[in-house]
Amino acid sequence: MQNRLKNENSDNPDMWKAIGHLHKAIAAGGVDPKLLALVHLRVSQINSCSACVFASVAGGKKAGESDERLHSVAAWREAPFYTDAERAALALAEAATRLQDGAEGVTDEIWEEANAHFTEEQIGAINLEIALTNFFNRINRTIKEPAGQTWG
């Protein structure tokens, strides 16, 4: 796959500043970076964004996540490696990402389970991570960004 953009390094300072603010807001939410990497990875897997799958594995490893947990996140429901809080975040990520074709989205049950494990600030950060990941997945799929970069 080859990137469709002719100038891959287009410099738009306003865009990068806005994205930087979103990343700061996520970090300020008090969520373990390893969990955010798992959320990013799962959303990217659902959206088949190879560039973000690659980057989230690299980010997870940088945050101290194990290979075992990174490799198993696609089957998190069956894998014994995740806490109840992590499962709640991954369920939220999946439900918020799978909105197509009449999917139910985030049910009250999924929302209540997330609320049982996280503060409002943390849920806000997790939701923003989910939304930002979906944003990047869609851009990368549109421009055919190949895997292999980590962006930070």
Side-chain angles (χ1 to χ4, degrees):
M1 185 162 59
Q2 197 168 25
N3 192 318
R4 289 176 168 161
L5 291 180
K6 291 180 179 43
N7 181 5
E8 293 180 43
N9 297 317
S10 175
D11 189 21
N12 183 336
D14 290 335
M15 178 184 68
W16 294 114
K17 186 175 183 179
I19 290 169
H21 285 301
L22 292 172
H23 283 295
K24 284 182 185 176
I26 292 167
V31 179
D32 185 341
K34 291 190 292 188
L35 175 56
L36 292 174
L38 293 174
V39 166
H40 186 91
L41 177 57
R42 186 64 194 123
V43 170
S44 298
Q45 288 172 335
I46 291 166
N47 290 326
S48 299
C49 180
S50 65
C52 286
V53 166
F54 182 91
S56 58
V57 168
K61 290 180 89 136
K62 185 177 177 181
E65 191 54 83
S66 71
D67 286 337
E68 182 176 61
R69 288 167 40 91
L70 289 167
H71 290 302
S72 299
V73 76
W76 63 269
R77 283 179 179 84
E78 293 80 25
F81 312 122
Y82 308 100
T83 67
D84 289 343
E86 291 165 336
R87 292 174 187 285
L90 291 167
L92 181 63
E94 285 190 3
T97 298
R98 291 188 163 130
L99 298 176
Q100 77 289 351
D101 301 326
E104 191 172 14
V106 179
T107 63
D108 289 341
E109 179 181 85
I110 291 169
W111 186 256
E112 289 167 13
E113 186 65 21
N115 270 298
H117 297 283
F118 301 102
T119 66
E120 283 197 13
E121 292 79 13
Q122 290 172 318
I123 291 174
I126 293 167
N127 278 323
L128 189 52
E129 178 69 26
I130 294 164
L132 190 58
T133 303
N134 275 291
F135 169 80
F136 281 121
N137 290 168
R138 278 149 181 79
I139 289 172
N140 288 333
R141 292 285 312 272
T142 299
I143 66 170
K144 292 190 170 186
E145 180 70 37
Q149 297 187 50
T150 58
W151 306 287

